[in-house]
Amino acid sequence: MLTSQGKEPKTTRVFMCHVVMLFCATMLFSHFPVTVSAQTTSASTEVEAEALTPEAINEMVARMSDDEVRALLLERLDAEAASEEEPPLEIDSLTSSITEIWEAFAFPIVENVKLLPTVFSSQAQVIASFAASFGESGLLKMLGLLAVILIAGYICEIVLVKLMERRTRTRPAPDEASLKSTLTFLAKRLGRELLGLALFYVVIRTLGVALLTSQQIVFLGPVVRYLIIIPRLIAALSRFALAPRNAGLRLLNVDDHWAKYLHFHLVGLGILGGLTMFVIKFNAQYRVPDFETSLGFWLTLAVHAYIAVIAW
Protein backbone atom coordinates (compact mmCIF):
# COMPACT_ATOMS: atom_id res chain seq x y z
CA MET A 1 0.00 0.00 0.00
CA LEU A 2 2.81 2.40 0.87
CA THR A 3 4.74 1.28 -2.23
CA SER A 4 1.85 1.99 -4.61
CA GLN A 5 1.31 5.40 -3.03
CA GLY A 6 5.02 6.17 -3.37
CA LYS A 7 5.17 5.17 -7.09
CA GLU A 8 2.04 7.15 -8.17
CA PRO A 9 3.69 10.57 -8.12
CA LYS A 10 6.70 9.23 -10.01
CA THR A 11 4.50 7.71 -12.76
CA THR A 12 2.54 10.94 -13.09
CA ARG A 13 5.73 12.97 -13.29
CA VAL A 14 7.16 10.67 -16.00
CA PHE A 15 3.97 11.05 -18.08
CA MET A 16 4.00 14.80 -17.64
CA CYS A 17 7.68 14.95 -18.67
CA HIS A 18 6.97 13.07 -21.91
CA VAL A 19 4.10 15.42 -22.79
CA VAL A 20 6.24 18.46 -22.05
CA MET A 21 9.09 16.93 -24.05
CA LEU A 22 6.91 16.59 -27.16
CA PHE A 23 5.59 20.13 -26.78
CA CYS A 24 9.07 21.58 -26.33
CA ALA A 25 10.37 19.65 -29.32
CA THR A 26 7.59 21.06 -31.51
CA MET A 27 8.10 24.62 -30.31
CA LEU A 28 11.88 24.55 -30.42
CA PHE A 29 12.30 22.88 -33.81
CA SER A 30 9.84 25.34 -35.43
CA HIS A 31 12.05 28.35 -34.56
CA PHE A 32 15.67 27.60 -35.47
CA PRO A 33 18.14 28.70 -34.26
CA VAL A 34 16.98 28.65 -30.64
CA THR A 35 19.03 28.59 -27.40
CA VAL A 36 17.44 27.07 -24.31
CA SER A 37 18.70 28.04 -20.86
CA ALA A 38 17.93 25.65 -18.06
CA GLN A 39 19.00 26.39 -14.55
CA THR A 40 19.56 23.50 -12.26
CA THR A 41 20.69 23.41 -8.66
CA SER A 42 24.33 22.83 -9.62
CA ALA A 43 24.78 25.00 -12.83
CA SER A 44 22.99 26.46 -15.86
CA THR A 45 23.49 24.77 -19.26
CA GLU A 46 22.86 26.24 -22.75
CA VAL A 47 21.87 23.83 -25.52
CA GLU A 48 22.03 24.87 -29.16
CA ALA A 49 19.18 23.93 -31.48
CA GLU A 50 21.43 21.75 -33.60
CA ALA A 51 22.08 19.44 -30.60
CA LEU A 52 18.44 19.11 -29.57
CA THR A 53 17.82 15.46 -30.39
CA PRO A 54 14.91 13.65 -28.75
CA GLU A 55 17.35 11.91 -26.37
CA ALA A 56 18.92 15.28 -25.39
CA ILE A 57 15.50 16.81 -24.79
CA ASN A 58 14.42 13.81 -22.72
CA GLU A 59 17.57 14.06 -20.61
CA MET A 60 17.19 17.84 -20.19
CA VAL A 61 13.56 17.60 -19.09
CA ALA A 62 14.37 14.77 -16.70
CA ARG A 63 16.85 17.02 -14.88
CA MET A 64 14.37 19.89 -14.59
CA SER A 65 11.85 20.33 -11.80
CA ASP A 66 8.16 20.98 -12.37
CA ASP A 67 8.65 24.72 -11.72
CA GLU A 68 11.47 24.91 -14.25
CA VAL A 69 9.38 23.09 -16.88
CA ARG A 70 6.46 25.45 -16.21
CA ALA A 71 8.77 28.50 -16.48
CA LEU A 72 10.18 27.24 -19.78
CA LEU A 73 6.69 26.77 -21.23
CA LEU A 74 5.57 30.24 -20.10
CA GLU A 75 8.70 31.78 -21.61
CA ARG A 76 8.06 30.13 -24.98
CA LEU A 77 4.37 31.06 -24.96
CA ASP A 78 5.18 34.68 -24.11
CA ALA A 79 7.69 34.79 -26.96
CA GLU A 80 5.09 33.40 -29.38
CA ALA A 81 2.49 35.95 -28.26
CA ALA A 82 4.97 38.82 -28.57
CA SER A 83 5.93 37.79 -32.12
CA GLU A 84 2.28 37.68 -33.23
CA GLU A 85 1.38 41.10 -31.86
CA GLU A 86 0.73 43.66 -34.61
CA PRO A 87 2.59 46.94 -34.42
CA PRO A 88 0.43 49.78 -33.15
CA LEU A 89 -1.22 51.88 -35.83
CA GLU A 90 0.03 55.39 -36.21
CA ILE A 91 -2.81 57.86 -35.70
CA ASP A 92 -2.41 61.19 -37.35
CA SER A 93 -2.88 64.16 -35.16
CA LEU A 94 -5.89 66.42 -35.56
CA THR A 95 -3.68 69.22 -36.81
CA SER A 96 -2.18 67.18 -39.66
CA SER A 97 -5.62 65.92 -40.71
CA ILE A 98 -7.02 69.45 -40.83
CA THR A 99 -3.97 70.59 -42.80
CA GLU A 100 -4.39 67.85 -45.40
CA ILE A 101 -8.10 68.60 -45.81
CA TRP A 102 -7.42 72.30 -46.19
CA GLU A 103 -4.68 71.71 -48.77
CA ALA A 104 -6.96 69.41 -50.78
CA PHE A 105 -9.67 72.09 -50.71
CA ALA A 106 -7.53 75.16 -51.33
CA PHE A 107 -5.01 73.83 -53.87
CA PRO A 108 -7.44 73.58 -56.87
CA ILE A 109 -8.82 77.05 -56.14
CA VAL A 110 -5.37 78.62 -55.93
CA GLU A 111 -4.22 76.96 -59.14
CA ASN A 112 -7.33 78.03 -61.05
CA VAL A 113 -7.09 81.57 -59.71
CA LYS A 114 -3.64 81.73 -61.31
CA LEU A 115 -5.23 80.68 -64.62
CA LEU A 116 -8.09 83.18 -64.33
CA PRO A 117 -6.50 85.88 -66.59
CA THR A 118 -6.29 83.38 -69.46
CA VAL A 119 -9.71 81.73 -69.08
CA PHE A 120 -11.65 83.82 -71.58
CA SER A 121 -8.82 84.18 -74.09
CA SER A 122 -8.21 80.41 -74.09
CA GLN A 123 -11.92 79.67 -74.40
CA ALA A 124 -12.20 82.18 -77.26
CA GLN A 125 -9.48 80.31 -79.10
CA VAL A 126 -11.41 77.06 -78.64
CA ILE A 127 -14.59 78.63 -80.05
CA ALA A 128 -12.65 80.13 -82.95
CA SER A 129 -11.17 76.74 -83.85
CA PHE A 130 -14.66 75.21 -83.59
CA ALA A 131 -16.15 77.81 -85.95
CA ALA A 132 -13.26 77.38 -88.37
CA SER A 133 -13.85 73.62 -88.52
CA PHE A 134 -17.38 74.24 -89.87
CA GLY A 135 -16.82 77.44 -91.83
CA GLU A 136 -19.15 80.44 -91.71
CA SER A 137 -21.72 79.03 -94.09
CA GLY A 138 -21.58 75.59 -92.53
CA LEU A 139 -22.14 77.00 -89.05
CA LEU A 140 -25.18 79.05 -90.14
CA LYS A 141 -26.61 76.05 -91.98
CA MET A 142 -26.17 73.87 -88.90
CA LEU A 143 -27.94 76.40 -86.63
CA GLY A 144 -30.79 76.77 -89.16
CA LEU A 145 -31.30 73.01 -89.35
CA LEU A 146 -31.22 72.82 -85.55
CA ALA A 147 -34.00 75.41 -85.31
CA VAL A 148 -36.16 73.51 -87.82
CA ILE A 149 -35.62 70.21 -86.03
CA LEU A 150 -36.45 71.68 -82.62
CA ILE A 151 -39.64 73.33 -83.91
CA ALA A 152 -40.79 70.07 -85.50
CA GLY A 153 -40.13 68.14 -82.31
CA TYR A 154 -41.93 70.70 -80.17
CA ILE A 155 -45.01 70.66 -82.45
CA CYS A 156 -45.25 66.87 -82.23
CA GLU A 157 -44.92 67.09 -78.45
CA ILE A 158 -47.73 69.65 -78.14
CA VAL A 159 -50.06 67.59 -80.31
CA LEU A 160 -49.47 64.44 -78.22
CA VAL A 161 -49.94 66.26 -74.90
CA LYS A 162 -53.19 67.90 -76.04
CA LEU A 163 -54.61 64.60 -77.23
CA MET A 164 -53.72 62.92 -73.93
CA GLU A 165 -55.17 65.79 -71.89
CA ARG A 166 -58.62 65.24 -73.38
CA ARG A 167 -58.64 61.64 -72.20
CA THR A 168 -56.72 61.71 -68.90
CA ARG A 169 -57.20 65.17 -67.38
CA THR A 170 -59.71 64.77 -64.53
CA ARG A 171 -59.00 67.52 -62.03
CA PRO A 172 -60.60 66.92 -58.59
CA ALA A 173 -63.20 69.39 -57.37
CA PRO A 174 -62.05 71.65 -54.49
CA ASP A 175 -64.55 70.18 -52.05
CA GLU A 176 -63.75 66.59 -53.03
CA ALA A 177 -59.98 66.90 -53.21
CA SER A 178 -57.98 64.31 -51.29
CA LEU A 179 -54.41 63.13 -51.25
CA LYS A 180 -55.24 60.20 -53.50
CA SER A 181 -57.06 62.29 -56.08
CA THR A 182 -54.32 64.95 -56.00
CA LEU A 183 -51.59 62.37 -56.51
CA THR A 184 -53.59 60.78 -59.33
CA PHE A 185 -53.98 64.11 -61.12
CA LEU A 186 -50.31 65.06 -60.65
CA ALA A 187 -49.11 61.63 -61.76
CA LYS A 188 -51.19 61.82 -64.96
CA ARG A 189 -49.88 65.31 -65.70
CA LEU A 190 -46.29 64.19 -65.09
CA GLY A 191 -46.85 61.15 -67.32
CA ARG A 192 -48.13 63.37 -70.14
CA GLU A 193 -45.14 65.69 -69.85
CA LEU A 194 -42.64 62.82 -69.80
CA LEU A 195 -44.26 61.10 -72.78
CA GLY A 196 -44.31 64.40 -74.66
CA LEU A 197 -40.64 64.96 -73.84
CA ALA A 198 -39.83 61.42 -75.00
CA LEU A 199 -41.64 62.03 -78.31
CA PHE A 200 -39.79 65.35 -78.67
CA TYR A 201 -36.46 63.56 -78.27
CA VAL A 202 -37.37 60.77 -80.70
CA VAL A 203 -38.48 63.25 -83.39
CA ILE A 204 -35.41 65.50 -83.14
CA ARG A 205 -33.10 62.49 -83.06
CA THR A 206 -34.73 60.97 -86.14
CA LEU A 207 -34.63 64.25 -88.06
CA GLY A 208 -31.08 64.92 -86.89
CA VAL A 209 -29.82 61.60 -88.23
CA ALA A 210 -31.61 62.30 -91.54
CA LEU A 211 -30.57 65.94 -92.04
CA LEU A 212 -27.29 66.49 -90.19
CA THR A 213 -23.77 65.28 -90.83
CA SER A 214 -21.87 63.19 -88.29
CA GLN A 215 -19.70 66.19 -87.38
CA GLN A 216 -22.80 68.31 -86.70
CA ILE A 217 -24.41 65.55 -84.64
CA VAL A 218 -21.30 65.23 -82.46
CA PHE A 219 -21.66 68.91 -81.51
CA LEU A 220 -25.47 69.26 -81.39
CA GLY A 221 -26.11 66.03 -79.47
CA PRO A 222 -24.67 67.38 -76.18
CA VAL A 223 -26.40 70.74 -76.80
CA VAL A 224 -29.82 69.11 -76.92
CA ARG A 225 -29.10 66.65 -74.11
CA TYR A 226 -27.55 69.04 -71.57
CA LEU A 227 -29.23 72.36 -72.42
CA ILE A 228 -32.76 71.22 -73.35
CA ILE A 229 -33.63 67.71 -72.14
CA ILE A 230 -32.14 67.89 -68.63
CA PRO A 231 -33.62 71.32 -67.70
CA ARG A 232 -37.05 70.31 -69.03
CA LEU A 233 -36.95 67.05 -67.08
CA ILE A 234 -36.08 68.95 -63.88
CA ALA A 235 -38.92 71.41 -64.57
CA ALA A 236 -41.45 68.56 -64.94
CA LEU A 237 -40.39 66.95 -61.67
CA SER A 238 -40.45 70.34 -59.91
CA ARG A 239 -44.00 71.03 -61.11
CA PHE A 240 -45.05 67.63 -59.77
CA ALA A 241 -43.79 68.39 -56.24
CA LEU A 242 -44.28 72.16 -55.99
CA ALA A 243 -47.22 72.99 -58.29
CA PRO A 244 -46.12 76.65 -58.38
CA ARG A 245 -49.33 77.87 -60.04
CA ASN A 246 -51.86 75.94 -57.98
CA ALA A 247 -51.65 75.73 -54.18
CA GLY A 248 -54.44 73.13 -54.04
CA LEU A 249 -52.27 70.58 -55.87
CA ARG A 250 -49.07 71.31 -53.94
CA LEU A 251 -47.51 68.33 -52.17
CA LEU A 252 -44.99 70.36 -50.16
CA ASN A 253 -46.09 72.62 -47.32
CA VAL A 254 -44.87 75.95 -48.75
CA ASP A 255 -46.70 79.11 -49.79
CA ASP A 256 -46.97 80.48 -53.32
CA HIS A 257 -43.89 82.70 -52.98
CA TRP A 258 -41.56 79.89 -51.93
CA ALA A 259 -43.07 77.42 -54.39
CA LYS A 260 -42.37 79.77 -57.31
CA TYR A 261 -38.96 80.64 -55.85
CA LEU A 262 -37.88 77.00 -55.57
CA HIS A 263 -39.29 76.06 -58.97
CA PHE A 264 -37.52 78.96 -60.70
CA HIS A 265 -34.15 78.27 -59.09
CA LEU A 266 -34.34 74.51 -59.57
CA VAL A 267 -34.84 75.04 -63.29
CA GLY A 268 -32.01 77.59 -63.25
CA LEU A 269 -29.80 75.09 -61.47
CA GLY A 270 -30.62 72.51 -64.15
CA ILE A 271 -29.66 74.96 -66.90
CA LEU A 272 -26.41 75.92 -65.15
CA GLY A 273 -25.53 72.29 -64.47
CA GLY A 274 -26.29 71.34 -68.08
CA LEU A 275 -24.16 74.22 -69.34
CA THR A 276 -21.29 73.08 -67.11
CA MET A 277 -21.43 69.52 -68.41
CA PHE A 278 -21.67 70.77 -72.00
CA VAL A 279 -18.62 73.05 -71.65
CA ILE A 280 -16.54 70.27 -70.08
CA LYS A 281 -17.51 67.85 -72.84
CA PHE A 282 -16.99 70.52 -75.52
CA ASN A 283 -13.45 71.28 -74.33
CA ALA A 284 -12.65 67.58 -74.04
CA GLN A 285 -13.97 67.01 -77.57
CA TYR A 286 -11.56 69.60 -78.95
CA ARG A 287 -8.74 68.22 -76.76
CA VAL A 288 -8.29 71.31 -74.63
CA PRO A 289 -6.27 70.40 -71.49
CA ASP A 290 -7.46 71.68 -68.12
CA PHE A 291 -4.32 73.72 -67.52
CA GLU A 292 -5.12 75.90 -70.56
CA THR A 293 -8.67 76.84 -69.65
CA SER A 294 -10.34 76.43 -66.26
CA LEU A 295 -13.84 77.50 -67.31
CA GLY A 296 -15.23 74.10 -66.37
CA PHE A 297 -13.87 74.47 -62.85
CA TRP A 298 -15.46 77.89 -62.37
CA LEU A 299 -18.80 76.70 -63.73
CA THR A 300 -18.71 73.73 -61.37
CA LEU A 301 -17.92 76.07 -58.51
CA ALA A 302 -20.85 78.25 -59.61
CA VAL A 303 -23.18 75.24 -59.44
CA HIS A 304 -22.14 74.58 -55.82
CA ALA A 305 -22.49 78.26 -54.96
CA TYR A 306 -25.96 78.33 -56.57
CA ILE A 307 -27.03 75.35 -54.45
CA ALA A 308 -25.82 77.18 -51.33
CA VAL A 309 -27.78 80.29 -52.34
CA ILE A 310 -30.96 78.29 -52.89
CA ALA A 311 -30.60 76.55 -49.52
CA TRP A 312 -29.87 79.87 -47.79
Side-chain angles (χ1 to χ4, degrees):
M1 194 69 180
L2 291 173
T3 304
S4 61
Q5 290 178 355
K7 291 183 179 180
E8 184 176 356
K10 184 176 180 180
T11 305
T12 304
R13 182 173 177 179
V14 171
F15 176 75
M16 181 178 178
C17 289
H18 281 82
V19 173
V20 172
M21 179 186 65
L22 293 176
F23 180 79
C24 290
T26 303
M27 298 293 289
L28 293 172
F29 281 115
S30 62
H31 298 279
F32 286 123
V34 177
T35 302
V36 179
S37 299
Q39 293 183 348
T40 60
T41 55
S42 58
S44 60
T45 307
E46 292 184 357
V47 182
E48 295 294 335
E50 297 178 355
L52 286 179
T53 61
E55 292 78 7
I57 294 175
N58 189 11
E59 182 180 356
M60 179 186 67
V61 174
R63 293 197 306 265
M64 298 169 63
S65 64
D66 293 343
D67 293 337
E68 291 172 339
V69 172
R70 189 178 296 108
L72 177 61
L73 291 178
L74 291 176
E75 180 182 356
R76 294 302 307 160
L77 291 175
D78 291 341
E80 287 290 326
S83 63
E84 294 178 359
E85 287 183 358
E86 297 181 356
L89 298 176
E90 296 183 359
I91 302 176
D92 295 335
S93 63
L94 180 61
T95 304
S96 62
S97 299
I98 294 175
T99 303
E100 292 177 0
I101 294 173
W102 172 251
E103 290 178 354
F105 172 78
F107 180 77
I109 298 177
V110 172
E111 292 298 318
N112 283 278
V113 167
K114 295 178 181 178
L115 295 174
L116 192 58
T118 62
V119 168
F120 297 103
S121 60
S122 300
Q123 198 65 39
Q125 293 177 1
V126 176
I127 296 174
S129 62
F130 158 74
S133 64
F134 285 95
E136 184 177 353
S137 59
L139 186 61
L140 293 176
K141 181 181 178 181
M142 180 184 66
L143 295 178
L145 289 174
L146 175 63
V148 172
I149 291 172
L150 292 178
I151 292 173
Y154 188 62
I155 291 174
C156 294
E157 177 186 358
I158 291 177
V159 171
L160 177 64
V161 171
K162 293 298 182 182
L163 291 176
M164 295 181 65
E165 279 184 352
R166 295 180 180 179
R167 302 185 60 179
T168 61
R169 188 172 184 176
T170 55
R171 183 172 180 177
D175 54 345
E176 299 178 357
S178 62
L179 179 60
K180 181 179 179 180
S181 60
T182 301
L183 284 175
T184 301
F185 176 81
L186 292 174
K188 289 181 179 179
R189 187 178 70 177
L190 179 62
R192 291 194 301 267
E193 293 182 353
L194 294 181
L195 287 176
L197 186 60
L199 179 62
F200 171 81
Y201 180 75
V202 170
V203 171
I204 64 174
R205 181 177 177 83
T206 303
L207 293 177
V209 172
L211 300 177
L212 301 174
T213 64
S214 59
Q215 184 183 10
Q216 293 171 339
I217 292 175
V218 169
F219 170 72
L220 294 178
V223 172
V224 173
R225 183 163 53 250
Y226 295 130
L227 300 180
I228 298 177
I229 299 297
I230 290 180
R232 291 194 60 189
L233 180 61
I234 293 176
L237 296 175
S238 176
R239 279 191 294 269
F240 174 80
L242 295 171
R245 297 182 180 179
N246 194 328
L249 298 174
R250 193 167 301 147
L251 298 179
L252 300 181
N253 187 20
V254 292
D255 57 16
D256 291 342
H257 168 74
W258 287 110
K260 294 178 181 178
Y261 172 87
L262 291 174
H263 176 73
F264 175 80
H265 287 294
L266 286 175
V267 176
L269 182 62
I271 295 174
L272 181 59
L275 177 62
T276 302
M277 291 185 287
F278 168 73
V279 169
I280 294 174
K281 188 174 182 62
F282 177 77
N283 289 340
Q285 179 181 345
Y286 284 87
R287 296 178 175 86
V288 180
D290 294 336
F291 60 85
E292 291 186 9
T293 173
S294 57
L295 184 59
F297 169 81
W298 292 110
L299 288 174
T300 304
L301 186 63
V303 170
H304 290 84
Y306 198 178
I307 295 174
V309 170
I310 296 174
W312 183 265

